[in-house]
């Protein structure tokens, strides 16, 4: 050992001597690192000042190890997912996913279509009046109403209801109603000041479906009568309806009954004529079978079609069969 020390340079021999003295006393010097962490120095010089252990962590900024920026202890040692900015994210895949085999696909339920709001249906109506003041008053009442549409005289063929304004059911009024019935004017409504039993029966006979007293002719009442007449329904004040029913009963009891006729049923010879028409016989053959003149057979058929508002004898036969009259 001594020979080997003699071969070493003086500096190394002094270092070996110092180490040997430390072993003899039981004290071993700690290794000192002067570089970065994990890179200790290669040699220790005697007489140097106490070494300072430094590492890369000492080179971090002071705020990097602040409590605010300190790493979460629960995440220490776990692999962290790399963070990417929105600019670095790949574009979304818009291709349709391939459906696996055997996968059950429910059919899509059709969605109900949103129906647009339908406006109120307005009833076209035309006015007939010989009194200009009354006509203008009714126009002022009905024009703001959204339920009706007032037509000019040139548009009368488009009307669904006809409003007739009169003072009473006299001969000029009946003449006007008769002309309207011939023209097949729809939905006749009569606004009248005075009406008696005879005038009420005559108005109904001429096809009036609605009747309004002038004193009760408010906009609501007029609109109700017009809409009912346009739908083929009747609209008559309750007291007038009672009087009308009394007249019908008296007609049946005093006039039709003694003659073997009824309002809702056919007389005996009327039913017999319609049965023969249904069997295919003509007028001459029916007259010969029933021992009536052909003119009488024609009058019977005319009375039946006129009473029930039928078009012809074929219509009369169909009506009688449908209602059980023959």
């Amino acid at each position: 050992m001594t020979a080997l020390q003699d071969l070493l340079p003086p500096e190394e021999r002094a270092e070996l001597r110092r180490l040997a003295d430390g072993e003899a006393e039981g004290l071993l010097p700690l290794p000192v690192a002067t570089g970065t962490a994990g890179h200790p120095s290669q040699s220790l010089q005697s007489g140097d000042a106490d070494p300072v252990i430094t590492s890369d962590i000492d080179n971090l900024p002071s705020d990097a190890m602040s409590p605010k920026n300190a790493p979460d202890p629960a995440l220490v040692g776990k692999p962290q997912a790399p963070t990417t900015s929105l600019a670095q994210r790949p574009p979304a895949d818009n291709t349709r996913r391939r459906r696996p085999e055997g996968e059950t696909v429910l059919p899509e339920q059709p969605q109900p279509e949103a129906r647009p709001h339908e406006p109120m249906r307005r009833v076209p109506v035309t006015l007939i009046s010989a009194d200009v003041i009354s006509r203008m008053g009714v126009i002022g009442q009905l024009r703001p109403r959204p339920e009706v549409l007032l037509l000019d005289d040139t548009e009368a063929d488009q009307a669904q209801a006809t409003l007739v304004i009169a003072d009473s059911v006299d001969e000029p009024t009946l003449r006007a109603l008769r002309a309207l019935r011939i023209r097949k004017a729809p939905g006749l409504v009569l606004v009248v000041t005075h009406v008696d039993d005879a005038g009420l029966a005559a108005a109904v006979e001429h096809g009036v479906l609605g009747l309004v007293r002038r004193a009760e002719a408010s906009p609501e009442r007029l609109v109700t009568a017009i809409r009912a007449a346009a739908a083929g329904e009747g609209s008559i004040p309750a007291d007038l309806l009672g009087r009308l029913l009394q007249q019908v009963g008296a007609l049946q009891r005093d006039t039709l009954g003694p003659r073997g006729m009824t309002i809702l049923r056919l007389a005996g010879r009327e039913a017999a004529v319609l049965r023969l028409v249904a069997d295919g016989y003509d007028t001459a053959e029916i007259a010969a079978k029933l021992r009536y003149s052909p003119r009488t057979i024609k009058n019977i058929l005319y009375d039946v079609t006129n009473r029930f508002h039928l078009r012809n004898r074929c219509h009369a036969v169909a009506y009688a069969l449908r209602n059980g009259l023959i």
Side-chain angles (χ1 to χ4, degrees):
M1 184 70 178
T2 306
L4 292 174
Q5 291 179 356
D6 295 338
L7 296 177
L8 294 175
E11 295 81 7
E12 296 182 3
R13 285 201 301 266
E15 183 67 18
L16 289 175
R17 192 179 299 113
R18 192 173 64 83
L19 294 173
D21 293 341
E23 290 178 358
E25 295 177 359
L27 300 175
L28 293 176
L30 294 175
V32 178
T34 59
T36 60
H39 301 282
S41 61
Q42 299 297 330
S43 62
L44 298 175
Q45 300 295 333
S46 60
D48 293 341
D50 293 338
V52 179
I53 300 176
T54 62
S55 63
D56 292 340
I57 197 171
D58 295 331
N59 299 325
L60 294 175
S62 59
D63 58 348
M65 293 305 294
S66 62
K68 180 179 179 181
N69 298 325
D72 189 354
L75 300 178
V76 174
K78 295 183 179 181
Q80 302 293 325
T83 58
T84 58
S85 62
L86 294 176
Q88 296 174 349
R89 291 181 183 177
D93 187 7
N94 295 326
T95 59
R96 299 184 61 182
R97 179 177 64 88
R98 184 183 298 276
R99 184 182 300 115
E101 296 183 359
E103 180 181 356
T104 303
V105 180
L106 297 176
E108 296 183 358
Q109 298 295 333
Q111 298 295 330
E113 298 181 358
R115 296 182 177 180
H117 176 70
E118 297 182 359
M120 180 182 297
R121 176 177 169 270
R122 307 183 70 180
V123 178
V125 58
T126 181
L127 269 66
I128 296 176
S129 176
D131 185 1
V132 179
I133 297 178
S134 299
R135 179 184 178 89
M136 297 305 298
V138 173
I139 290 177
Q141 286 184 318
L142 294 181
R143 190 175 296 280
R145 303 291 300 198
E147 300 92 343
V148 297
L149 176 64
L150 294 178
L151 302 177
D152 298 332
D153 294 339
T154 58
E155 302 173 333
D157 56 341
Q158 303 177 12
Q160 297 179 2
T162 305
L163 190 62
V164 180
I165 307 171
D167 187 61
S168 62
V169 186
D170 52 7
E171 185 57 33
T173 303
L174 293 177
R175 191 182 304 113
L177 293 176
R178 194 177 300 112
L180 291 173
R181 185 179 180 182
I182 294 174
R183 287 163 38 194
K184 297 182 179 180
L188 291 179
V189 177
L190 179 62
V191 179
V192 63
T193 304
H194 306 286
V195 58
D196 54 7
D197 293 346
L200 177 62
V204 173
E205 183 181 356
H206 285 74
V208 172
L209 294 177
L211 192 146
V212 181
R213 291 190 180 96
R214 183 174 296 189
E216 302 172 354
S218 63
E220 291 76 13
R221 184 69 182 85
L222 291 174
V223 169
T224 301
I226 289 172
R227 298 188 66 181
E233 301 174 356
S235 176
I236 299 177
D239 60 324
L240 295 182
L241 180 60
R243 290 159 55 183
L244 180 62
L245 293 177
Q246 292 178 2
Q247 293 184 45
V248 173
L251 177 64
Q252 173 64 41
R253 182 176 57 254
D254 300 334
T255 305
L256 299 179
R259 299 180 181 181
M261 304 172 61
T262 62
I263 296 177
L264 301 178
R265 293 185 180 181
L266 298 174
R269 64 176 187 175
E270 292 175 343
V273 170
L274 289 180
R275 290 192 190 99
L276 293 176
V277 172
D279 292 337
Y281 293 97
D282 58 14
T283 302
E285 293 173 340
I286 295 173
K289 284 183 172 293
L290 297 179
R291 296 180 179 180
Y292 291 135
S293 65
R295 183 177 183 86
T296 302
I297 301 300
K298 292 180 181 179
N299 291 335
I300 292 174
L301 292 175
Y302 174 80
D303 291 338
V304 172
T305 55
N306 186 48
R307 189 195 319 161
F308 294 100
H309 305 287
L310 306 173
R311 290 190 296 272
N312 47 46
R313 62 175 62 190
C314 294
H315 191 194
V317 170
Y319 178 83
L321 291 173
R322 186 167 55 249
N323 292 276
L325 301 179
I326 59 173

